[in-house]
């Protein structure tokens, strides 16, 4: 029963409860282990914790029970003890007011449970948009060996002979419905076709983006990002993930040895090459911040200029995640990017990225993953904008925008917040034309609060009926990675924090130049200063208690990942991408 001396305790002997008597603490724990039906042999095994994020409110995690069984099988085959434990589960469509509001809470839950429980390594099972970032943020802060297992994408469906999938097609059909092109009967019919199975969105939305960047960062097994949720491939990956977690525990391969500056750069590179979600940039900034790295937006933009979009995946392209899997997945993409990657970055396999790519399957002809000579888009999917409207930066998903609108000058039509937008956007008397710039403020991290995906401002109904499909839209919020359009996001500082966005008036002229990376409000500095003096930023009443109060008091701006300031690493180690 003794805990012994010398080497640190592992397995069920580690992390004993503080009763002031370690021997008694172990005695008591052993009694409860036996009460759960275990034998004394459990005390002699390494323990791999398996994070269970299954929930009846999370269809993206509908295969979690099967994944857990496969991970357990892998852990036991490797001679260790698997123990599952629950944390918060977030689904994009079932998290009021927004899953982003709760991401940091999930990260805290994940971190503290990893710290509290006697686990020598942990398998993080997640999939839906904010779950993988929350898990990696929490695990990065906890510092134990950890490996990511994504739940996988849903299967596609079919509508009248056309392949469809959530959620780019959701938005496309809804836009057609708003424009009067399809009727109630067809929109109801397509609603039952868009989600073909459990699993995450089948396009380059945030979930698929984070799956790809997790693999690129080396924190998930090679080839594990793209297999769909219901497939045998996904179950085999789960088993292999369990086996690998045991080896990571044995060798002490902690998360900080994997998520280095080089690994984070690789992740940012793949974010661009996939044409991935703009949310991915916020999440990677938050993960980097937990490890002591600051996101350098200007260096990221320089990386974007030299990294074309190579994956032909909706919304920037044509295909779906199951097509990307059949085309060779992330390993095939990494081979195309090999000369611009940090090949010395360590992965969860214990080998470097370069060594893994040396053993990657040989490429074969296909059209989903392009070569650098034949890209889907000639530059990275995301561009960084600056100017007096966004001194802290703003971003645009240029690969999914309308080319003719990337250089634009137009009159602002301002909406004060999401409620104002909902009340007026479809008003037949709204003074708006196709050349105007729609501006929505007070939907940032503090202003909403929670930075909802409301940046995908709908086209005013009267313009949609005229055939208008895109307009320049600007906000301090986010948009779904499944969405397309000429949409400027993450304007920083946000309006509620005193940013220039708070002082834009309907009728002001805004200039957007993606080629010059400029977002400019054509109003004199003196006039802006006068407006700031006359009209302080509008803010909602701050929550008086609870998590809402903590959120508003501690949340950072988008370029710092919208994390809580007190959760970021205490020591700054550098910036990513690093200087070249």
């Amino acid at each position: 029963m003794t805990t012994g001396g010398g080497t640190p305790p592992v397995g069920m002997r580690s992390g004993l409860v503080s009763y002031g008597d370690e021997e008694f603490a172990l005695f008591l724990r052993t009694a409860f282990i036996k009460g759960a039906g275990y034998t004394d042999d459990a005390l002699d095994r390494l323990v791999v914790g398996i994070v269970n994020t299954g929930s009846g409110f999370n269809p993206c995690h509908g295969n979690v029970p099967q994944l857990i069984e496969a991970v357990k099988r892998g852990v036991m085959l490797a001679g260790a003890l698997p123990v599952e434990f629950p944390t918060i589960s977030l689904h994009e469509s079932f998290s009021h007011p927004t899953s982003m509001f709760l991401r940091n809470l999930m990260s805290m839950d994940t971190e503290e449970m990893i710290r509290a429980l006697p686990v020598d390594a942990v398998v993080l099972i997640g999939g839906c948009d904010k779950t993988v970032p929350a898990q990696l943020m929490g695990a990065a802060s906890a510092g134990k060996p950890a490996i990511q297992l994504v739940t996988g994408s849903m299967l596609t469906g079919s509508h009248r002979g056309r392949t469809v999938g959530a959620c780019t097609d959701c938005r496309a059909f809804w836009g057609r419905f708003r424009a009067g092109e399809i009727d109630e009967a067809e929109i109801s019919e397509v609603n039952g076709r868009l989600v073909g199975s459990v699993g995450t969105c089948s396009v380059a939305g945030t979930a698929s983006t984070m799956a790809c960047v997790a693999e690129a960062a080396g924190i998930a097994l090679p080839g594990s990002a793209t297999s769909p949720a219901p497939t045998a491939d996904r179950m085999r990956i789960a088993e292999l993930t369990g086996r690998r977690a045991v080896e990571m525990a044995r060798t002490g391969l902690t998360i900080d040895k994997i998520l280095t500056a080089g690994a984070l750069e690789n992740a940012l590179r793949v974010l661009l090459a996939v044409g991935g979600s703009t949310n991915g940039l916020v999440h990677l900034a938050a993960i980097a911040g937990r490890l002591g790295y600051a996101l350098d937006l200007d260096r990221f933009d320089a990386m974007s200029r030299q990294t074309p979009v190579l994956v032909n995946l909706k919304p920037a392209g044509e295909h779906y995640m199951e097509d990307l899997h059949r085309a060779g997945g992330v390993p095939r993409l990494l081979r195309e990017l090999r000369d611009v990657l940090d090949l010395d970055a360590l992965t969860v396999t214990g080998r470097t990225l370069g060594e893994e790519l040396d053993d990657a399957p040989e490429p074969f002809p296909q059209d989903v993953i392009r070569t650098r000579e034949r890209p889907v888009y000639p530059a990275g999917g995301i561009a960084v904008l600056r100017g007096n409207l966004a001194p802290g930066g703003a971003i645009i998903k240029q690969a999914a925008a309308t080319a003719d609108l990337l250089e634009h000058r137009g009159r602002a039509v301002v909406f004060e917040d999401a409620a104002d937008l909902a009340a007026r956007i479809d008003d037949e008397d709204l003074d708006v034309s196709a050349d105007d710039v729609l501006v929505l403020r007070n939907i940032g991290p503090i202003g909403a609060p929670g930075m909802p995906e409301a940046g995908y401002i709908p086209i005013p109904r009267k313009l949609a009926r005229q055939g208008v499909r895109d307009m320049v839209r600007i906000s301090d919020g986010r948009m779904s990675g499944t969405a397309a359009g000429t949409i400027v996001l993450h304007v920083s500082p946000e309006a509620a924090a005193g940013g220039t966005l708070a002082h834009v008036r309907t009728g002001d002229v805004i200039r957007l130049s993606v080629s010059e990376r400029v977002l400019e409000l054509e109003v004199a500095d003196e006039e802006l200063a006068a407006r700031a003096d006359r009209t302080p930023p509008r803010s909602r009443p701050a929550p008086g208690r609870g998590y809402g109060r903590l959120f508003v008091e501690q949340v950072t701006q988008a370029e710092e990942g919208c994390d809580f300031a007190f959760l970021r690493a205490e020591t700054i180690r550098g910036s990513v991408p690093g200087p070249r």
Side-chain angles (χ1 to χ4, degrees):
M1 193 65 68
T2 180
T3 58
T7 59
V10 298
M12 290 295 181
R13 290 182 169 85
S14 67
L16 292 172
V17 179
S18 299
Y19 293 120
D21 182 341
E22 285 195 353
E23 293 285 350
F24 173 70
L26 182 58
F27 173 78
L28 194 60
R29 177 175 288 177
T30 305
F32 280 103
I33 291 171
K34 290 178 177 177
Y38 290 94
T39 66
D40 285 328
D41 190 36
L43 286 172
D44 299 320
R45 303 282 176 175
L46 290 169
V47 175
V48 173
I50 305 171
V51 180
N52 182 347
T53 56
S55 167
F57 288 107
N58 197 337
C60 293
H61 293 196
N63 61 339
V64 164
Q66 293 78 28
L67 290 175
I68 289 174
E69 290 307 308
V71 172
K72 285 182 175 179
R73 183 169 66 245
V75 171
M76 288 189 287
L77 285 170
L81 178 68
V83 183
E84 67 178 273
F85 62 92
T87 69
I88 290 171
S89 180
L90 300 178
H91 188 274
E92 192 63 31
S93 296
F94 291 92
S95 299
H96 177 79
T98 166
S99 61
M100 189 65 170
F101 180 69
L102 296 168
R103 183 203 64 179
N104 297 346
L105 183 61
M106 183 178 177
S107 81
M108 294 167 69
D109 184 8
T110 303
E111 174 184 350
E112 296 306 328
M113 293 309 297
I114 293 173
R115 288 185 189 280
L117 297 174
V119 295
D120 301 298
V122 63
V123 176
L124 308 165
I125 302 181
C128 197
D129 293 10
K130 309 307 179 294
T131 62
V132 171
Q135 290 182 322
L136 292 178
M137 290 160 66
S141 297
K144 290 186 179 181
I147 183 170
Q148 186 74 54
L149 173 64
V150 296
T151 58
S153 60
M154 66 182 68
L155 298 177
T156 55
S158 177
H159 173 65
R160 300 184 181 182
R162 169 185 165 184
T163 299
V164 294
C167 239
T168 299
D169 294 325
C170 306
R171 298 178 187 282
F173 276 100
W174 189 253
R176 292 180 62 197
F177 175 65
R178 279 178 53 82
E181 296 177 10
I182 60 176
D183 58 18
E184 290 271 6
E186 184 170 357
I187 197 67
S188 179
E189 178 185 340
V190 77
N191 185 256
R193 305 291 185 184
L194 290 164
V195 180
S197 70
V198 299
T200 59
C201 287
S202 53
V203 297
T206 306
S208 297
T209 297
M210 291 308 300
C212 292
V213 300
E215 182 178 331
I219 198 64
L221 285 178
S224 68
T226 54
S227 57
T231 60
D233 278 353
R234 177 56 54 198
M235 295 304 121
R236 286 194 294 269
I237 288 164
E239 180 184 306
L240 292 172
T241 298
R243 293 183 71 113
R244 187 59 213 160
V246 178
E247 294 307 311
M248 293 174 69
R250 286 179 177 145
T251 59
L253 185 53
T254 51
I255 193 167
D256 59 299
K257 297 173 184 174
I258 298 169
L259 292 182
T260 60
L264 292 167
E265 274 197 39
N266 291 340
L268 289 166
R269 186 79 67 177
V270 165
L271 167 64
L272 292 165
V274 168
S277 169
T278 50
N279 288 314
L281 190 59
V282 176
H283 298 321
L284 284 171
I287 295 164
R290 295 295 186 97
L291 294 157
Y293 297 101
L295 174 66
D296 189 315
L297 282 176
D298 294 326
R299 289 178 187 157
F300 173 75
D301 188 67
M303 177 186 282
S304 178
R305 290 179 183 273
Q306 60 174 238
T307 308
V309 176
L310 300 181
V311 178
N312 188 6
L313 200 63
K314 287 188 173 187
E318 302 170 334
H319 295 289
Y320 298 87
M321 281 295 286
E322 57 197 59
D323 302 311
L324 176 58
H325 183 60
R326 296 188 189 104
V330 173
R332 176 71 181 85
L333 173 63
L334 294 176
R335 287 181 68 123
E336 289 298 325
L337 297 170
R338 182 172 184 138
D339 63 309
V340 291
L341 296 173
D342 184 339
L343 299 176
D344 294 326
L346 195 62
T347 74
V348 289
T349 65
R351 306 202 307 165
T352 66
L353 179 62
E355 290 171 325
E356 289 299 332
L357 291 182
D358 287 342
D359 291 341
E362 287 296 318
F364 51 85
Q366 43 76 42
D367 188 51
V368 181
I369 305 169
R370 302 279 186 86
T371 63
R372 304 250 284 279
E373 294 72 34
R374 197 173 64 91
V376 176
Y377 189 82
I382 300 170
V384 177
L385 308 170
R386 291 195 187 272
N388 68 347
L389 195 49
I395 62 173
I396 184 170
K397 193 172 183 178
Q398 57 181 345
T402 300
D404 291 345
L405 291 175
L406 293 176
E407 308 294 319
H408 187 77
R409 187 172 175 271
R411 184 187 71 119
V413 176
V414 180
F415 298 92
E416 195 64 32
D417 54 24
D420 183 35
L421 177 75
R424 295 195 295 125
I425 190 68
D426 288 335
D427 188 337
E428 293 296 326
D429 294 327
L430 180 67
D431 181 12
V432 65
S433 70
D435 291 331
D436 289 338
V437 175
L438 303 181
V439 176
L440 175 59
R441 58 187 173 216
N442 292 306
I443 61 164
I446 300 169
M451 206 179 186
E453 290 184 343
Y456 182 73
I457 305 168
I459 302 298
R461 193 185 299 271
K462 68 179 185 180
L463 296 183
R465 288 198 301 262
Q466 296 170 20
V468 176
R469 293 292 173 266
D470 195 12
M471 297 173 68
V472 175
R473 289 161 272 180
I474 299 172
S475 79
D476 48 13
R478 301 177 299 113
M479 78 172 180
S480 170
T482 65
T486 312
I487 303 173
V488 177
L489 305 156
H490 309 182
V491 170
S492 179
E494 64 174 302
T500 308
L501 195 66
H503 309 301
V504 181
R505 294 178 178 175
T506 293
D508 288 345
V509 174
I510 294 175
R511 175 177 171 250
L512 167 68
S513 173
V514 175
S515 65
E516 297 177 25
R517 300 302 200 257
V518 167
L519 183 65
E520 195 78 12
L521 178 65
E522 295 186 351
V523 174
D525 292 342
E526 296 79 8
E527 171 60 18
L528 283 176
R531 290 183 188 181
D533 289 339
R534 290 194 300 267
T535 55
R538 172 186 173 277
S539 60
R540 298 161 58 103
R545 59 166 300 281
Y547 179 71
R549 177 173 175 174
L550 176 68
F551 189 97
V552 170
E553 290 178 351
Q554 286 289 325
V555 72
T556 61
Q557 293 292 288
E559 65 271 22
E560 293 184 318
C562 297
D563 199 4
F564 292 160
F566 74 90
L567 292 176
R568 292 167 64 83
E570 296 179 71
T571 303
I572 299 299
R573 302 165 64 183
S575 59
V576 290
R580 290 287 181 179

